[in-house]
Amino acid sequence: MSTRDIVFVALFAALTAALGLFPPVTLPVVGVPITAQSMGVMLAGAIAGATRGGAALALFVLLVCAGLPLMAGGRGGLGIVMGPGGGFVLTWPVAAFVIGFLYERNVRTLTAWKEALILVLGGVVLTYAVGIPWIAAVARVDLVKAAIGSAWFLPGDAVKVVLVVLIARTVRRAYPTLQAR
Amino acid sequence: MIPYVPGESPVHRCPPGRKILALVAAGTVLFALPRLDLALAAALLALAATGWLYRVAGIPGRLMLAQLRPLAWILAVLVLVQLALDGWQAGLLVTARLSALVLLAGLVTLTTRSSDLIEALQRGLVWAKPLGANPAKVGLAIALTLRFIPVLAAIAAEVREAQRARGLEGSLVALTVPVVVRMLKMSDDIAAAIDARSYDPDRG
């Protein structure tokens, strides 16, 4: 990693932390809050790319585990990872990497729909695939109930995907950062 | 923010790396036990042991309860669900296990300075060197991240004011795009400034 890459990694870790300044809404039954921070995951992948985006979220998760209050609502510490939302948080680095990888693969042929599809795959499908079984294990509810409880995230996720597509397209025109893979 | 409570107890003096390992071990054991009665006994034992450790560390009970407050009504809902579906033992297990782990994690945070924890993480990353992670680079990234958070907040406030003057204060896109573009430009300047000072993490 060059110095510029390190600065980018720090930038997107900080951006994800700053998105936590929006107050979270905690979901009943599954006990996981809806936050703007999953937008940080999508933005990191879509703007910084696979390696830097993945590293940014890995750094963010590391700092949260170290006890810094970077999660929405000023929470932090290992309790977050041990709690019901831990599966989502721990998948974020992988999700950012996957989003970045698919963006870099398709950087010349990106349409708004294609971007939305990539973001849904990495930011929604992948994180839910880990997050829902994690809730089921930690809270000892069965998978179906955990999945139904998590469905409350979907409207928020749809809004986030649309916002990130709009933001990433505009930023890319103003300041291209991705390289084709 | 979870405050650091200074002290000289054995819990405070235990090296941060060891505390984290103990926490991970506790989490693994509590979730790995297959039988309900065994798991319940272990969870209650862990809860009692955690309470004892709080006393050893000299943390007031008020702060201990504060660790559980964000979890309180999640726990309440979980207990109701478990009671309705699986009986009281399962409800007790979920409550005891989750409270024990969150309290234990809170204890690590309460008795360890953030700087010591970050230093321990950085030292802990030495083994990852062959995998391509350079602890000095991770250290630089951590320092930059902590510095960037207030900078981002300041830039966001500035952009919000500028967009309000244009009547765009309701638009999230009009707020986020200029913030991100300005941050990207700033990163390039910062990287150039670091390079101009001949920073070379490979040589330490």
Side-chain angles (χ1 to χ4, degrees):
Chain A
M1 274 199 173
S2 69
T3 311
R4 185 166 177 265
D5 290 337
I6 298 174
V7 179
F8 261 62
V9 167
L11 167 62
F12 282 93
L15 184 68
T16 309
L19 285 168
L21 298 175
F22 294 103
V25 182
T26 300
L27 286 184
V29 184
V30 291
V32 179
I34 304 181
T35 75
Q37 290 190 299
S38 44
M39 258 176 82
V41 180
M42 300 183 195
L43 284 171
I47 298 174
T51 317
R52 293 180 295 195
L57 267 298
L59 178 63
F60 175 79
V61 172
L62 193 72
L63 291 175
V64 168
C65 290
L68 295 171
L70 302 182
M71 295 293 289
R75 296 169 318 140
L78 289 153
I80 301 274
V81 180
M82 297 279 178
F88 290 101
V89 176
L90 288 176
T91 320
W92 280 354
V94 185
F97 182 89
V98 169
I99 292 172
F101 184 82
L102 293 174
Y103 258 84
E104 286 168 345
R105 261 291 163 84
N106 299 295
V107 74
R108 285 181 219 295
T109 55
L110 281 175
T111 58
W113 286 111
K114 212 168 178 177
E115 282 189 55
L117 183 67
I118 293 174
L119 291 171
V120 168
L121 268 179
V124 182
V125 177
L126 180 66
T127 43
Y128 281 48
V130 180
I132 292 176
W134 187 288
I135 294 175
V138 171
R140 269 187 59 106
V141 292
D142 62 82
L143 266 179
V144 179
K145 260 183 223 82
I148 293 171
S150 305
W152 291 99
F153 288 121
L154 289 172
D157 283 332
V159 174
K160 286 178 213 165
V161 167
V162 172
L163 278 174
V164 172
V165 169
L166 291 172
I167 294 167
R169 289 185 79 81
T170 323
V171 168
R172 207 162 46 243
R173 254 182 311 192
Y175 211 86
T177 48
L178 289 182
Q179 276 184 343
R181 198 177 263 265
Chain B
M1 176 161 191
I2 303 174
Y4 165 68
V5 181
E8 277 300 311
S9 72
V11 183
H12 283 86
R13 273 174 304 170
C14 175
R18 217 170 290 170
K19 280 189 246 187
I20 295 175
L21 284 181
L23 182 63
V24 172
T28 316
V29 170
L30 286 183
F31 278 105
L33 289 173
R35 273 174 46 200
L36 183 62
D37 49 352
L38 264 181
L40 185 57
L44 288 174
L45 195 67
L47 195 57
T50 309
W52 177 71
L53 282 173
Y54 268 81
R55 288 201 54 174
V56 171
I59 309 275
R62 180 177 48 80
L63 263 179
M64 183 171 159
L65 286 179
Q67 304 297 312
L68 284 179
R69 197 167 305 137
L71 209 68
W73 78 271
I74 298 172
L75 274 178
V77 174
L78 278 179
V79 168
L80 284 180
V81 171
Q82 294 293 349
L83 277 180
L85 297 171
D86 283 345
W88 64 272
Q89 281 176 318
L92 192 60
L93 170 63
V94 170
T95 320
R97 186 164 60 186
L98 211 53
S99 321
L101 283 178
V102 169
L103 281 174
L104 209 54
L107 184 67
V108 173
T109 320
L110 281 168
T111 56
T112 320
R113 280 189 203 87
S114 294
S115 57
D116 289 345
L117 217 49
I118 290 170
E119 207 177 289
L121 285 174
Q122 209 175 324
R123 240 178 302 127
L125 282 171
V126 171
W127 61 266
K129 232 173 179 171
L131 298 173
N134 180 337
K137 286 183 180 177
V138 177
L140 174 66
I142 291 176
L144 282 172
T145 305
L146 300 182
R147 179 69 195 105
F148 272 155
I149 295 170
V151 173
L152 257 175
I155 293 182
E158 249 175 63
V159 171
R160 193 175 302 133
E161 222 164 272
Q163 300 297 40
R164 191 176 300 142
R166 300 184 179 97
L168 284 173
E169 69 264 37
S171 163
L172 259 175
V173 176
L175 178 68
T176 319
V177 170
V179 172
V180 173
V181 171
R182 275 179 64 174
M183 288 298 293
L184 289 173
K185 273 183 90 151
M186 201 182 80
S187 319
D188 277 345
D189 294 343
I190 291 171
I194 294 172
D195 281 336
R197 285 160 181 77
S198 309
Y199 173 75
D200 185 359
D202 293 321
R203 255 185 263 158

